[in-house]
Amino acid sequence: MTTPASAPSVVQSTSPCPCGSGKTFGQCCEPILKQERKATTAEELMRSRFTAHVVHDYQHLHRTYLPTSALPYQEESDLAPMNWTRLVVHSHEAGPKPDVAYVDFSAYSVEEGAEHVLHEKSEFLRVKGDWLFSRPIRSGPAPLKSSQPKIGRNEPCPCGSGKKYKHCCLAKA
Protein backbone atom coordinates (compact mmCIF):
# COMPACT_ATOMS: atom_id res chain seq x y z
CA MET A 1 0.00 0.00 0.00
CA THR A 2 1.40 3.40 -0.91
CA THR A 3 1.25 6.48 1.26
CA PRO A 4 -0.87 9.30 -0.17
CA ALA A 5 1.06 12.44 -1.12
CA SER A 6 -0.74 14.41 1.60
CA ALA A 7 0.32 12.07 4.43
CA PRO A 8 3.40 13.20 6.36
CA SER A 9 6.51 11.21 5.60
CA VAL A 10 7.68 9.24 8.61
CA VAL A 11 11.44 9.40 9.01
CA GLN A 12 13.12 7.41 11.78
CA SER A 13 16.06 8.85 13.75
CA THR A 14 18.27 6.08 12.33
CA SER A 15 17.16 6.64 8.72
CA PRO A 16 19.31 8.65 6.31
CA CYS A 17 18.43 12.32 6.59
CA PRO A 18 16.17 13.49 3.72
CA CYS A 19 18.47 16.51 3.18
CA GLY A 20 21.16 14.27 1.67
CA SER A 21 23.92 15.20 4.13
CA GLY A 22 24.98 11.57 4.53
CA LYS A 23 24.17 11.65 8.25
CA THR A 24 21.23 10.02 9.96
CA PHE A 25 18.09 12.07 10.55
CA GLY A 26 18.82 11.94 14.31
CA GLN A 27 22.35 13.35 13.80
CA CYS A 28 21.36 15.97 11.25
CA CYS A 29 17.98 17.72 10.94
CA GLU A 30 15.85 16.09 13.63
CA PRO A 31 17.39 18.06 16.56
CA ILE A 32 16.88 21.31 14.62
CA LEU A 33 13.26 20.48 13.78
CA LYS A 34 12.60 19.55 17.41
CA GLN A 35 14.30 22.81 18.53
CA GLU A 36 16.88 20.87 20.57
CA ARG A 37 19.63 22.85 18.84
CA LYS A 38 19.92 25.76 16.40
CA ALA A 39 21.24 25.60 12.86
CA THR A 40 24.84 26.82 13.02
CA THR A 41 25.06 27.80 9.33
CA ALA A 42 22.74 28.96 6.58
CA GLU A 43 23.33 25.66 4.77
CA GLU A 44 22.29 23.70 7.84
CA LEU A 45 19.09 25.76 8.04
CA MET A 46 18.45 25.21 4.31
CA ARG A 47 18.82 21.46 4.81
CA SER A 48 16.47 21.50 7.82
CA ARG A 49 13.88 23.49 5.84
CA PHE A 50 14.01 20.96 2.99
CA THR A 51 13.58 18.14 5.52
CA ALA A 52 10.66 20.05 7.08
CA HIS A 53 8.99 20.06 3.66
CA VAL A 54 9.55 16.29 3.38
CA VAL A 55 8.08 15.51 6.82
CA HIS A 56 5.44 18.30 6.60
CA ASP A 57 6.73 20.20 9.63
CA TYR A 58 5.13 23.51 8.66
CA GLN A 59 5.79 25.05 12.08
CA HIS A 60 9.56 24.80 11.42
CA LEU A 61 9.08 26.45 8.02
CA HIS A 62 7.04 29.22 9.66
CA ARG A 63 9.54 29.96 12.45
CA THR A 64 12.57 29.94 10.10
CA TYR A 65 11.11 32.30 7.48
CA LEU A 66 12.02 35.94 8.21
CA PRO A 67 8.60 37.52 7.43
CA THR A 68 6.70 35.03 9.64
CA SER A 69 9.25 34.11 12.31
CA ALA A 70 7.93 36.61 14.89
CA LEU A 71 4.26 35.87 14.20
CA PRO A 72 2.20 33.14 15.91
CA TYR A 73 1.83 29.99 13.84
CA GLN A 74 -1.60 29.26 12.37
CA GLU A 75 -2.09 25.93 10.65
CA GLU A 76 -3.38 26.13 7.11
CA SER A 77 -5.68 23.30 6.07
CA ASP A 78 -5.65 24.00 2.32
CA LEU A 79 -1.96 23.25 1.78
CA ALA A 80 -1.24 20.82 -1.04
CA PRO A 81 2.05 19.20 0.02
CA MET A 82 4.58 18.24 -2.61
CA ASN A 83 6.48 14.99 -2.69
CA TRP A 84 10.05 16.27 -2.23
CA THR A 85 12.62 13.56 -3.00
CA ARG A 86 16.14 14.96 -2.77
CA LEU A 87 18.25 18.05 -2.22
CA VAL A 88 21.54 19.02 -3.84
CA VAL A 89 23.43 21.96 -2.31
CA HIS A 90 25.66 23.50 -4.97
CA SER A 91 27.28 26.18 -2.83
CA HIS A 92 27.15 27.95 0.51
CA GLU A 93 28.84 31.33 0.55
CA ALA A 94 29.25 34.11 3.04
CA GLY A 95 27.56 37.40 2.26
CA PRO A 96 28.97 40.92 2.43
CA LYS A 97 28.33 40.97 6.20
CA PRO A 98 28.89 38.21 8.80
CA ASP A 99 25.15 37.73 9.38
CA VAL A 100 24.30 37.21 5.70
CA ALA A 101 24.86 34.03 3.69
CA TYR A 102 23.69 32.52 0.41
CA VAL A 103 22.86 28.92 -0.46
CA ASP A 104 22.57 27.75 -4.06
CA PHE A 105 20.59 24.50 -4.25
CA SER A 106 18.37 22.22 -6.31
CA ALA A 107 15.35 20.62 -4.65
CA TYR A 108 13.72 17.74 -6.52
CA SER A 109 10.09 16.66 -6.33
CA VAL A 110 7.90 14.11 -8.07
CA GLU A 111 4.47 15.05 -9.33
CA GLU A 112 2.29 12.79 -11.51
CA GLY A 113 5.24 10.47 -12.09
CA ALA A 114 7.56 13.18 -13.41
CA GLU A 115 10.56 14.61 -11.58
CA HIS A 116 10.72 18.40 -11.27
CA VAL A 117 13.55 20.57 -10.01
CA LEU A 118 13.55 23.88 -8.19
CA HIS A 119 17.00 25.47 -8.63
CA GLU A 120 17.39 28.55 -6.49
CA LYS A 121 19.92 30.76 -4.77
CA SER A 122 18.53 31.99 -1.46
CA GLU A 123 19.54 34.63 1.06
CA PHE A 124 19.72 33.78 4.77
CA LEU A 125 20.10 36.27 7.61
CA ARG A 126 21.22 35.66 11.18
CA VAL A 127 18.86 37.54 13.51
CA LYS A 128 19.51 37.42 17.27
CA GLY A 129 21.69 34.34 16.77
CA ASP A 130 19.15 32.41 14.63
CA TRP A 131 19.57 31.78 10.92
CA LEU A 132 16.38 32.63 8.97
CA PHE A 133 15.44 32.18 5.32
CA SER A 134 15.04 35.71 3.96
CA ARG A 135 14.25 35.51 0.26
CA PRO A 136 15.17 33.85 -3.03
CA ILE A 137 17.88 35.77 -4.87
CA ARG A 138 17.74 33.85 -8.15
CA SER A 139 15.55 31.11 -9.60
CA GLY A 140 17.24 28.79 -12.06
CA PRO A 141 20.90 28.00 -12.57
CA ALA A 142 23.60 30.64 -12.36
CA PRO A 143 24.27 32.56 -15.58
CA LEU A 144 27.08 31.12 -17.65
CA LYS A 145 30.31 33.07 -17.67
CA SER A 146 32.50 32.98 -20.73
CA SER A 147 35.92 31.44 -20.20
CA GLN A 148 37.31 33.56 -23.05
CA PRO A 149 38.42 37.14 -22.36
CA LYS A 150 36.19 39.77 -23.98
CA ILE A 151 37.60 41.25 -27.16
CA GLY A 152 37.91 45.03 -27.14
CA ARG A 153 36.42 47.00 -30.01
CA ASN A 154 39.83 48.44 -31.01
CA GLU A 155 41.79 45.18 -30.73
CA PRO A 156 42.86 43.22 -33.80
CA CYS A 157 40.06 40.93 -34.99
CA PRO A 158 40.60 37.30 -33.87
CA CYS A 159 39.68 36.06 -37.38
CA GLY A 160 43.11 37.22 -38.59
CA SER A 161 41.90 39.76 -41.18
CA GLY A 162 44.25 42.46 -39.86
CA LYS A 163 41.34 44.84 -39.29
CA LYS A 164 40.14 46.15 -35.94
CA TYR A 165 37.46 44.00 -34.37
CA LYS A 166 34.85 46.82 -34.62
CA HIS A 167 35.34 47.05 -38.41
CA CYS A 168 35.35 43.31 -39.00
CA CYS A 169 33.53 40.58 -37.09
CA LEU A 170 31.85 42.88 -34.52
CA ALA A 171 30.09 44.69 -37.38
CA LYS A 172 28.81 41.32 -38.71
CA ALA A 173 27.38 40.22 -35.37
Side-chain angles (χ1 to χ4, degrees), residues 43 88-93 102-105 120-121 138:
E43 180 180 343
V88 177
V89 175
H90 303 293
S91 68
H92 173 215
E93 55 195 65
Y102 303 98
V103 179
D104 190 356
F105 66 92
E120 185 174 288
K121 183 175 185 177
R138 180 193 75 243

Side-chain angles (χ1 to χ4, degrees), residues 7 26 38 53 56 63 136 140-141 143 146 153 162 167:
K38 294 179 180 185
H53 278 289
H56 304 168
R63 73 176 165 263
S146 175
R153 294 172 40 85
H167 294 297

Side-chain angles (χ1 to χ4, degrees), residues 61-72:
L61 296 171
H62 177 85
R63 73 176 165 263
T64 60
Y65 180 44
L66 185 62
T68 61
S69 63
L71 302 174

Side-chain angles (χ1 to χ4, degrees), residues 83-164:
N83 184 19
W84 294 101
T85 57
R86 62 189 170 107
L87 174 71
V88 177
V89 175
H90 303 293
S91 68
H92 173 215
E93 55 195 65
K97 298 177 182 175
D99 292 334
V100 178
Y102 303 98
V103 179
D104 190 356
F105 66 92
S106 294
Y108 294 84
S109 65
V110 174
E111 186 178 348
E112 297 178 5
E115 184 176 63
H116 302 279
V117 63
L118 168 69
H119 190 155
E120 185 174 288
K121 183 175 185 177
S122 295
E123 178 183 68
F124 293 82
L125 303 176
R126 189 169 30 210
V127 178
K128 298 179 185 172
D130 294 331
W131 281 105
L132 300 172
F133 166 62
S134 172
R135 63 192 174 112
I137 299 294
R138 180 193 75 243
S139 290
L144 295 176
K145 293 182 182 178
S146 175
S147 59
Q148 301 293 326
K150 187 174 178 181
I151 302 166
R153 294 172 40 85
N154 290 318
E155 293 182 28
C157 191
C159 74
S161 67
K163 297 179 182 179
K164 288 184 178 183

